[in-house]
């Protein structure tokens, strides 16, 4: 599973934060590694340099083997919270998709 991190021009992803995101994704999605070929994480600030509530955006796109990719988006006040919310949404979506496959 390849993990690619992308950021808009107002953000620089430091190595420590990038490693933290990759570790979180690897841990939370470990049971789906056989289905995921690539994860793309896109971080952005909806307001640019202006302050605002819940303006940090995290979009995660999961490229699945033999299936259409799925994407989830989360907004929050910090990038850490936005990433955690997006990972939770992606985990729920993956549970739904692959839970159905096993049921039939």
């Amino acid at each position: 599973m390849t993990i690619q991190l992308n950021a808009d021009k107002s953000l620089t992803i430091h190595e420590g934060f990038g490693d933290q995101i990759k570790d979180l994704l690897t841990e939370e999605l470990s049971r789906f590694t056989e289905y995921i070929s690539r994860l793309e994480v896109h971080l952005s600030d909806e307001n640019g340099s202006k302050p605002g509530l819940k303006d940090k955006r995290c979009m995660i796109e999961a490229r699945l083997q033999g299936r259409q990719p799925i994407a989830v988006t989360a907004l929050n006040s910090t990038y850490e919270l936005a990433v955690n919310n997006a990972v939770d949404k992606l985990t729920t979506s993956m549970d739904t998709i692959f839970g159905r496959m096993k049921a039939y």
Side-chain angles (χ1 to χ4, degrees):
M1 175 171 66
T2 304
I3 300 173
Q4 179 180 344
L5 303 176
N6 301 305
D8 68 358
K9 61 185 176 186
S10 67
L11 173 68
T12 302
I13 300 175
H14 297 286
E15 185 177 340
F17 184 56
D19 290 342
Q20 181 182 357
I21 292 171
K22 289 178 181 180
D23 291 343
L24 176 68
L25 288 168
T26 303
E27 180 181 324
E28 292 294 322
L29 299 173
S30 62
R31 65 184 183 269
F32 303 113
T33 54
E34 65 186 86
Y35 304 112
I36 300 172
S37 59
R38 179 185 182 113
L39 290 171
E40 291 188 27
V41 180
H42 301 272
L43 299 174
S44 60
D45 190 332
E46 296 291 297
N47 295 341
S49 61
K50 297 184 285 184
L53 295 176
K54 294 194 175 187
D55 65 337
K56 308 300 189 253
R57 179 177 180 259
C58 176
M59 193 274 291
I60 302 175
E61 181 180 359
R63 304 283 175 108
L64 306 176
Q65 296 174 359
R67 298 184 59 87
Q68 292 291 321
I70 60 171
V72 295
T73 303
L75 293 169
N76 218 309
S77 56
T78 66
Y79 288 110
E80 292 85 3
L81 292 173
V83 168
N84 285 332
N85 290 350
V87 169
D88 289 343
K89 287 182 179 183
L90 183 60
T91 303
T92 302
S93 294
M94 299 286 281
D95 280 336
T96 301
I97 291 169
F98 294 111
R100 286 184 193 155
M101 285 177 56
K102 289 180 181 176
Y104 294 105

